[in-house]
Amino acid sequence: MKQLQLKQIYYSYDGEKQVLKNVNLDIFEGEKIAILGANGAGKSTLFICMNGVITPDSGEILLYGKKITKKNKIELTKKVAFVFQQPDNQIIAPTVLSEISFGAMNLKLPQQQVIKRVYDAMDDMNLKVLENRATHTLSGGEKKRVTIADSIVMQPNIYLFDEPTTALDPLHQQILEDVIEKLSQQGKTILLSTHDVDFAYRFAKRVIVFYKGEIIADDTTENVFCNKEVLAMSHLKQPTLLQIQHILMKKGLLKQCNTFAKNIKQFQELI
């Protein structure tokens, strides 16, 4: 099922330089998508367009086939959660508990349901020991985990993560990956913008590459990372695992396969 559609989207911050140019996207239920591209390619602008923070200069956004207008833009906010790259741009409450509770309380849910959502989200992001901490005293990584919990508690259908591993140590990067995989297994649609090609390769089934505001690739993860022209244009490198696979194939230790899953299986058998 198509959840979100972007049709001929253009956007400029200054009325001159187009940050997004003729962006056309169909996002389907349950997809796992990585958005890649250099700084300034338009990835963050795409995300804040997709959840209604900004309105495109031209083009249409459709949610479940219904065109988004000023009157119903709130539906994007409810259904599409955006986790900012910089946590300080998102956190508004004085304590961790009040911050994570804020969104759920605004949904006017029963108190017990709010409490359950909040503590489940804190448990997911390993935040229970910090629930009474003042948010301004948190480290960058702790703030990042709080903003992710902010989104989880809202239980949206689509999650947009902008550079989600920024400021996280290896332990909490793994916790984040586990949470994202759990959300995916629940049927949630996940889009993440990242410079970490290894993370993108592990996570995504579909990769979309932006270059100067335009989509230059939209394909399976394997096909995009094997496209040398796209990688060169967008200054991306091949993921480490894919590089190893190619080395092993050249040495005859790994057979050429048509699917990522078969390559992984063969690689695991070798190690």
Side-chain angles (χ1 to χ4, degrees):
M1 175 189 294
K2 288 183 184 179
Q3 284 182 310
L4 197 62
Q5 296 171 267
L6 281 69
K7 296 185 177 183
Q8 298 180 324
I9 298 296
Y10 286 81
Y11 186 78
S12 171
Y13 288 103
D14 60 8
E16 296 180 5
K17 182 182 178 181
Q18 294 291 336
V19 182
L20 295 177
K21 305 173 188 176
N22 195 30
V23 174
N24 293 276
L25 279 177
D26 289 340
I27 306 299
F28 294 85
E29 192 173 68
E31 283 198 287
K32 298 165 70 175
I33 302 172
I35 309 291
L36 305 180
N39 288 336
K43 305 185 301 296
S44 297
T45 304
L46 172 74
F47 278 0
I48 59 177
C49 226
M50 290 173 74
N51 91 320
V53 173
I54 61 175
T55 301
D57 295 331
S58 62
E60 294 181 347
I61 298 177
L62 288 79
L63 182 66
Y64 294 104
K66 186 176 181 179
K67 183 178 176 180
I68 297 299
T69 65
K70 290 181 179 180
K71 292 183 179 180
N72 65 359
K73 186 186 284 190
I74 189 65
E75 293 302 314
L76 275 182
T77 305
K78 291 180 179 179
K79 301 295 184 183
V80 184
F82 176 51
V83 180
F84 286 74
Q85 180 178 350
Q86 299 298 331
D88 287 331
N89 293 335
Q90 188 168 342
I91 294 174
I92 59 173
T95 68
V96 170
L97 180 60
S98 60
E99 170 65 25
I100 299 172
S101 302
F102 181 80
M105 291 175 65
N106 282 342
L107 293 176
K108 303 188 185 304
L109 298 170
Q111 184 178 10
Q112 288 304 312
Q113 193 172 345
V114 171
I115 292 171
K116 184 178 187 309
R117 284 196 187 193
V118 168
Y119 280 94
D120 283 350
M122 285 198 293
D123 187 48
D124 283 341
M125 295 312 301
N126 195 24
L127 289 168
K128 284 187 176 179
V129 295
L130 299 176
E131 66 175 285
N132 294 316
R133 279 273 300 275
T135 50
H136 74 272
T137 68
L138 301 175
S139 69
E142 289 167 342
K143 289 178 180 179
K144 172 71 77 172
R145 286 152 52 202
V146 168
T147 60
I148 293 169
D150 281 347
S151 294
I152 292 172
V153 80
M154 299 298 288
Q155 296 186 2
N157 296 348
I158 302 171
Y159 287 83
L160 310 176
F161 291 96
D162 193 6
E163 296 292 345
T165 58
T166 300
L168 295 182
D169 58 35
L171 170 63
H172 288 100
Q173 284 185 27
Q174 187 58 56
I175 288 174
L176 169 67
E177 289 193 39
D178 291 343
V179 167
I180 289 177
E181 185 58 36
K182 179 181 176 181
L183 292 171
S184 178
Q185 290 174 1
Q186 292 171 356
K188 304 296 185 181
T189 302
I190 313 290
L191 290 86
L192 62 86
S193 165
T194 182
H195 287 98
D196 186 341
V197 294
D198 292 313
F199 179 26
Y201 194 56
R202 290 193 302 271
F203 157 78
K205 300 298 183 185
R206 175 183 173 190
V207 170
I208 299 168
V209 182
F210 273 76
Y211 177 74
K212 295 185 177 180
E214 298 182 85
I215 295 174
I216 60 170
D218 181 357
D219 207 335
T220 65
T221 304
E222 194 82 358
N223 285 345
V224 170
F225 281 123
C226 287
N227 189 322
K228 293 181 180 180
E229 183 180 348
V230 167
L231 296 182
M233 183 180 295
S234 51
H235 304 290
L236 296 170
K237 66 175 184 176
Q238 281 193 330
T240 303
L241 182 56
L242 186 57
Q243 293 180 42
I244 293 171
Q245 288 177 33
H246 289 167
I247 292 170
L248 293 176
M249 283 190 287
K250 286 181 180 179
K251 293 181 177 292
L253 298 174
L254 188 68
K255 293 180 181 179
Q256 179 71 46
C257 296
N258 293 325
T259 67
F260 170 72
K262 288 181 180 178
N263 276 333
I264 289 294
K265 184 177 180 181
Q266 290 182 26
F267 181 66
Q268 289 174 333
E269 287 172 354
L270 286 172
I271 59 175

